[in-house]
């Protein structure tokens, strides 16, 4: 007997048909995966189940009750949503974060601190995790915050727990722990709706999978009936070929980027590395491996480094971002929204952000030239937008990433450092971005350093892989003979 | 567990305060005179009561710079009303002053909550408006001791612990300190023991999350801005009673001192953080520094430099703390 049943649900926002005739049922105690690219309608569907949106047509039954759903009614039926941001209070203690919602539900006016602690301790005990109740949430790691959010959701005795992209910010070992907890929750008879776009995880955890594409169900069925290729096809509508990247050494000459004994006291042990034009070298490692510090050092953000950095054989001193840019380094940061893009500005301005000096030989910007170059780059990066004046905030994640990469290609970048190039980008755009990166390395004569947690991404796109651990490069291997499973084993062995 | 108080920012503030007291006492032994300590305590009252309101607003993620204007309006209007109507008493005038402050505070809350306006801009506007209206419509003449209502003067003069000084003068500890401590206790209980008070922290900490778990944003905002207004109104009239003077141009620039004291007490400009105990310590520190500058005969213009320096130093320390915890 299904706990919740959606039949032929449609929802429209203005001119956009967010959902068209979606049917979905979740049985009690089932782990169900909702898959789909960004913009496929996953979030709208979650909000309909949570009672936040009312569908335009179709029926929704919880416990065979077809009454219109409000947020309160959904909660009373036992639907709990853990949003991507966890909805926690960073400056408050773990105990209070856990207990506040139940205290509010009980319509209390006064706070009993002993009651708060007791409730909170019981909630963590139920999950089998130990977190200091008095610590403020901002001092916790992302994984611990997620555990607090899960523990809090379980306090209201839910029957369906919806987890929105729960593994996005987690490292490999934390994902394993999360999955153990999800199975444990299932064993308590609670259904879990797991929203994701990572195929390996979906196949791993779920019993049934529903794939959305453009607001409709593209495929649905038991997890055993799917493999990665089938899921990709359902999510994107076409096959994405996985062909690994081959690099052919070219005529001699100095490497594009050469590190000799590059070190950061206490953070990075001395690293020797040579990167040639056309190479894509992957860097991976667990959290805290020092890989991001390596990238930041090369981009001039760790001025107290030791050792030598050479670009095209010339010794450079990367003590500031300006020096790094002038030396031909380009860096695409991990968090493009906060570190890389000017969200409220136009695509053109974002693309041109580092090129204005070059376009203003006498201190006055040549706007016609600027527009022409920016338009050319939009075509080159295949950015989908109405025109260059559109604000970046209105673009999809994939297009935003293209803008950011495109910005660096406007200048004379010789070494491109990508940190998590496709985090939060959906499968279809991801393949497109990979294709651009490969083409840039091959034709544009760039050397690319690609830092990523996404092992298939590394294995497919890199010709070499460096594995970092605790500030040193512990292994270097050619990617041609490597599978992502083997790479995963190597990382697990370090943990 | 037992030593967790050591990690609290209040402990750090208290330690800094003790060190500062020790240093000041070394430079100027007159600091430890009972008369000086009593006068120091008395100087805490007005700034302290206002600081309690500002603390609540800051924890909720807002800021209030209009309260000195509200305080002066409540004081001047109440005393003018008492003179005009030949009105006597103590409790009723204070109730009126509090009500004037409350009403003005609710105006702030209305703009912040209904239109989602930036609190700094709203309160800058209402503050200027109220000050201008008071001087333009009500009057600019100050009411001196000869016309001040006697009951208020007597009330402001109440002392605990009367002593006779070495040169034969009388001095005592102002009883107004009790009012201040009572207000502090009530605000402390409100912030830590009521769900509404926890809602103030929740809203300041993560506004979106606070709405999702069911806190009522409107109610929280009306409460904190109303509270700040009401406390300012009460402090205004109390100030008039203690100095036997109602000056409609009073309290100019006081917002800076009060905000400095609250920040010094560990509250965060970004909301979600702060405590009454910390604020009491912050107010004491600020007042003590100003007081020492006076007894060391340092020019008042230099005191502004010190207050500005304290704000910069305290916000630097707290922003380092906040950044470390975010990282």
């Amino acid at each position: 007997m299904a706990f919740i049943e959606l039949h032929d649900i449609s929802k429209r926002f203005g001119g956009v048909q967010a959902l068209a005739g979606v049917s979905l049922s979740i049985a009690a105690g089932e782990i169900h995966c909702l898959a789909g690219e960004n913009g496929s309608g996953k979030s709208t569907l979650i909000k309909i189940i949570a009672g936040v949106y009312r569908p335009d047509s179709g029926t929704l039954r919880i416990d065979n009750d077809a009454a219109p759903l409000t947020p309160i009614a959904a909660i009373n039926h036992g639907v709990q949503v853990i949003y991507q941001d966890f909805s926690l209070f960073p400056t408050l203690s773990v105990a209070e974060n856990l207990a506040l919602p139940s205290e509010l539900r009980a319509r209390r006016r006064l706070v009993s601190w002993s009651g708060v602690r007791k409730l909170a301790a019981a909630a963590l005990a139920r999950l089998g995790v130990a977190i200091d109740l008095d610590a403020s949430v901002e001092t916790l790691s992302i994984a611990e915050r997620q555990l607090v959010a899960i523990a809090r959701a379980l306090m209201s005795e839910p029957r369906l727990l919806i987890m929105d992209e729960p593994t996005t910010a987690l490292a490999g070992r934390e994902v394993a722990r999360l999955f153990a907890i999800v199975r444990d929750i299932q064993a308590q008879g609670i259904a879990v709706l797991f929203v994701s776009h990572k195929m390996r995880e979906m196949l791993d955890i779920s019993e049934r999978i529903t794939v959305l594409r453009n607001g409709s169900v593209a495929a649905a069925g038991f997890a055993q009936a799917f493999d990665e290729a089938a899921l990709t096809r359902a999510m994107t509508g076409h096959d994405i070929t996985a062909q690994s990247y081959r690099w052919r050494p070219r005529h001699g000459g100095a490497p594009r980027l050469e590190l000799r004994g590059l070190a950061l006291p206490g953070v990075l042990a001395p690293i020797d590395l040579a990167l040639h034009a056309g190479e894509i070298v992957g860097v991976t490692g667990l959290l805290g491996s020092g890989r991001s510090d390596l990238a930041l050092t090369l981009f001039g953000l760790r001025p107290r480094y030791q050792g030598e950095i050479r670009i095209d054989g010339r010794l450079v001193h990367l003590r500031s971002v300006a020096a790094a840019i002038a030396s031909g380094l380009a860096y695409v940061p991990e968090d493009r929204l906060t570190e890389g893009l000017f969200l409220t500005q136009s695509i053109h301005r974002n693309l041109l952000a580092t090129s204005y000096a070059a376009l203003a030989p006498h201190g006055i910007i040549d706007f016609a030239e600027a527009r022409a170059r920016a338009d050319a780059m939009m075509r080159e990066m295949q950015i989908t937008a109405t025109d260059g004046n559109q604000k970046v905030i209105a673009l999809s994640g994939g297009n935003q990433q293209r803008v950011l990469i495109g910005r660096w290609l406007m200048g004379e970048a010789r070494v491109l450092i990508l940190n998590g190039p496709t985090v939060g980008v959906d499968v279809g755009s991801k393949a497109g971005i990979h294709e651009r990166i490969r083409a840039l390395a091959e034709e544009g004569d760039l050397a690319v350093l690609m830092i990523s947690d996404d092992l298939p991404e590394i294995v497919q796109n890199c010709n070499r892989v460096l594995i970092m651990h605790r500030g040193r490069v512990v292994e270097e291997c050619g990617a041609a003979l490597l599978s992502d499973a083997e790479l995963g084993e190597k990382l697990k062995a370090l943990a | 567990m037992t030593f967790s108080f050591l990690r609290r920012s209040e402990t750090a503030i208290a330690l800094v305060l003790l060190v500062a007291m020790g240093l000041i006492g070394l430079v100027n032994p007159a600091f430890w005179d009972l008369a000086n300590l009593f006068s120091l305590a008395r100087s805490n009252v007005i700034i302290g009561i206002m600081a309690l309101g500002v603390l609540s607003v800051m924890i909720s993620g807002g800021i209030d710079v209009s309260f000195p204007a509200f305080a002066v309006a409540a004081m001047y209007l109440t005393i003018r009303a008492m003179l005009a109507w030949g009105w006597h008493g103590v409790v009723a005038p204070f109730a009126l002053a509090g009500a004037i402050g409350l009403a003005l505070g609710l105006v702030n809350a209305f703009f912040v909550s209904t239109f989602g306006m930036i609190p700094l801009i709203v309160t800058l506007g209402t503050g200027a408006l109220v000050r201008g209206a008071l001087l333009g419509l009500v009057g600019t003449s100050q009411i001196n001791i000869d016309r001040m209502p006697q009951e208020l003067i007597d009330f402001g003069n109440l002392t605990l612990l009367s002593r006779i000084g070495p040169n034969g003068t009388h001095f005592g500890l102002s009883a107004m300190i009790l009012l201040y401590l009572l207000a502090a206790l009530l605000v402390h209980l409100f912030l830590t023991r009521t769900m509404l008070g926890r809602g103030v922290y929740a809203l300041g900490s993560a506004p979106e999350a606070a709405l999702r778990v069911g806190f009522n944003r409107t109610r929280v905002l009306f409460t904190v801005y109303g509270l700040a207004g009401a406390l300012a109104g009460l402090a205004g009239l109390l100030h008039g009673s203690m100095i036997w003077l109602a000056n409609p141009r009073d309290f100019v620039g006081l917002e800076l001192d009060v905000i400095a004291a609250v920040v010094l007490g560990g509250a965060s400009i970004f909301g979600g953080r702060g405590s009454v105990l910390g604020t009491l310590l912050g107010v004491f520190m600020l007042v003590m520094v100003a007081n020492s500058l006076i007894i060391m005969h340092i020019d008042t213009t230099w005191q502004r430099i010190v207050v500005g320096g304290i704000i910069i130093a305290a916000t630097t320390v707290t922003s380092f703390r906040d950044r470390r915890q975010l990282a």
Side-chain angles (χ1 to χ4, degrees), chain A residues 89-98 113-114 116-118 120-121 124 130-140 148, chain B residues 1-5 7-8 198 325:
Chain A
F89 303 106
T91 61
L92 301 186
S93 69
V94 169
E96 201 170 4
N97 265 282
L98 287 167
W113 285 96
S114 59
V116 162
R117 291 187 61 88
K118 213 177 288 169
L124 288 182
I131 297 175
D132 181 5
L133 286 177
D134 296 314
S136 63
V137 161
E138 64 199 343
T139 62
L140 303 183
V148 172
Chain B
M1 277 304 289
T2 13
F3 293 103
S4 67
F5 73 93
R7 280 182 293 151
R8 294 179 54 175
R198 299 321 287 171
Q325 295 189 327

Side-chain angles (χ1 to χ4, degrees), chain A residues 87 91 96 109 111 138, chain B residues 193 195 198 212 272-273 325:
Chain A
S87 294
T91 61
E96 201 170 4
R109 294 190 171 277
V111 184
E138 64 199 343
Chain B
R193 296 299 161 101
M195 280 312 280
R198 299 321 287 171
R212 280 190 195 145
R273 229 190 283 268
Q325 295 189 327

Side-chain angles (χ1 to χ4, degrees), chain A residues 35-43 165 196-197 211-214 232 234-238 240 425-430:
Chain A
E37 304 199 325
N38 294 338
S40 60
K42 286 178 301 184
S43 311
E165 306 269 357
S196 179
H197 59 233
V211 184
L212 290 184
R213 187 172 76 234
N214 297 330
T232 308
M235 282 166 73
T236 62
H238 47 84
I240 289 172
V425 173
D426 46 53
V427 191
S429 325
K430 202 166 158 177

Side-chain angles (χ1 to χ4, degrees), chain A residues 11 13 43-45 47-55 60 69 71:
Chain A
K11 178 76 187 173
F13 294 104
S43 311
T44 311
L45 194 60
K47 287 190 172 150
I48 285 178
I49 297 175
V52 178
Y53 294 154
R54 183 82 47 92
L60 188 160
L69 203 59

Side-chain angles (χ1 to χ4, degrees), chain B residues 121-165:
Chain B
I121 305 300
V122 170
T123 56
L124 269 174
T126 53
L129 212 76
V130 166
R131 229 179 236 289
L134 186 71
L135 295 173
L137 301 177
V138 185
T140 54
S141 62
Q142 73 181 32
I143 296 159
N144 292 319
I145 180 165
D146 53 323
R147 292 172 59 219
M148 276 292 281
Q150 192 58 42
E151 293 92 334
L152 289 185
I153 293 179
D154 292 342
F155 178 69
N157 258 344
L158 287 177
T159 46
L160 315 159
L161 305 169
S162 261
R163 290 278 192 286
I164 296 169

Side-chain angles (χ1 to χ4, degrees), chain B residues 67-137:
Chain B
F67 63 89
F70 294 179
V72 84
M75 165 184 75
Y76 196 64
L77 286 174
T78 305
I79 292 177
R80 285 285 291 255
M82 290 175 79
L83 293 177
W85 303 331
W87 190 20
H88 295 280
V90 171
V91 176
F94 273 98
L96 177 63
I100 292 171
L102 174 68
L104 293 170
L106 296 181
V107 173
N108 283 339
F110 171 76
F111 284 109
V112 173
S113 107
T114 313
F115 301 117
M117 287 161 71
I118 297 170
L120 178 64
I121 305 300
V122 170
T123 56
L124 269 174
T126 53
L129 212 76
V130 166
R131 229 179 236 289
L134 186 71
L135 295 173
L137 301 177

Side-chain angles (χ1 to χ4, degrees), chain B residues 48-62:
Chain B
I49 293 177
M50 292 177 171
L52 293 170
V54 174
L55 170 72
S56 312
V57 172
M58 272 176 60
I59 294 173
S60 80

